[in-house]
Amino acid sequence: MPKVSDDHLAARRSQILDGARRCFAEYGYDGATVRRLEDEIGLSRGAIFHHFRDKDALFLALAQEDAERMADVAANQGIVQVMRDMLAHPEEFNWLGTRLEIARRLRTDPEFRAGWSQRSAELTAATLARLERRKAAGALRDDVPTDVLLGYLDLVLDGLIARIASGHTNENLSAVLDLVEASVRRRA
């Protein structure tokens, strides 16, 4: 039997993730049935679940992919830039409506919570490291502990995600992000 190349496996995995992202965006987690995933991805359930253990693993892989991308931006440009990117290009984050599903499952599903915690830790670590660097450089407020700044920014991120997911974006959100950014800067 011929061996499948690593490039082919990576391309297939990417195809599955792209299709799953569209399906979760359109139908939400519960509505993204295996049948709908098959239709959107264009592959059989056997082909899909050869790469991912189950629907949860597929969903968590999407979350991890997005968390890694956001962590890269957060590490270099800050979490507010992540939010600006979401606002500027909501189509790239169109599956964020499922974030509400994540919040529900974090409360009710210990196994899911453990998997999510591992995957979201990278974004948290990148954001915290950047905040610490910016604080050490004198650019951020020093009257507020760094973990409180992180909690504040996480809360704003969650609110922005809820707004984008519900379709309530407008020009004022950019000004709100300006306000958020100004609120964490050191006052001269």
Side-chain angles (χ1 to χ4, degrees):
M1 179 169 9
K3 184 176 175 171
V4 178
S5 74
D6 288 341
D7 288 344
H8 177 78
L9 290 173
R12 181 57 52 99
R13 181 178 165 82
S14 180
Q15 174 188 358
I16 293 167
L17 289 170
D18 290 346
R21 181 175 277 110
R22 289 188 305 271
C23 191
F24 286 128
E26 183 170 350
Y27 299 105
Y29 181 84
D30 289 333
T33 63
V34 173
R35 182 57 160 156
R36 285 179 170 156
L37 285 165
E38 288 175 316
D39 291 345
E40 188 64 43
I41 295 168
L43 296 172
S44 70
R45 71 185 62 211
I48 296 167
F49 296 118
H50 170 76
H51 293 270
F52 298 94
R53 181 183 73 246
D54 54 22
K55 187 170 125 176
D56 271 353
L58 178 56
F59 184 72
L60 285 171
L62 283 173
Q64 180 177 2
E65 191 176 81
D66 284 357
E68 287 170 359
R69 181 177 55 181
M70 292 187 322
D72 287 343
V73 173
N76 295 309
Q77 300 170 3
I79 194 72
V80 174
Q81 185 59 48
V82 170
M83 292 184 251
R84 290 187 191 287
D85 290 349
M86 287 179 174
L87 195 55
H89 305 286
E91 70 282 357
E92 292 179 20
F93 299 90
N94 63 356
W95 75 286
L96 288 174
T98 57
R99 183 75 178 236
L100 304 174
E101 173 64 18
I102 291 170
R104 183 186 70 77
R105 293 187 67 201
L106 286 172
R107 281 191 339 264
T108 62
D109 185 339
E111 186 177 329
F112 182 85
R113 184 172 40 251
W116 178 256
S117 294
Q118 292 171 349
R119 285 160 175 81
S120 66
E122 187 175 341
L123 177 59
T124 300
T127 303
L128 192 56
R130 173 155 171 94
L131 289 172
E132 290 289 356
R133 286 192 312 272
R134 301 290 293 151
K135 192 179 254 193
L140 293 183
R141 295 174 62 160
D142 58 5
D143 62 328
V144 178
T146 307
D147 62 332
V148 173
L149 289 174
L150 178 62
Y152 168 65
L153 293 170
D154 280 345
L155 187 62
V156 173
L157 176 63
D158 287 344
L160 181 65
I161 288 170
R163 283 287 179 114
I164 291 171
S166 65
H168 291 91
T169 58
N170 59 38
E171 289 119 32
N172 288 342
L173 290 179
S174 182
V176 169
L177 292 180
D178 292 342
L179 180 62
V180 169
E181 198 163 34
S183 71
V184 298
R185 285 195 186 128
R186 176 179 262 168
R187 295 180 179 104

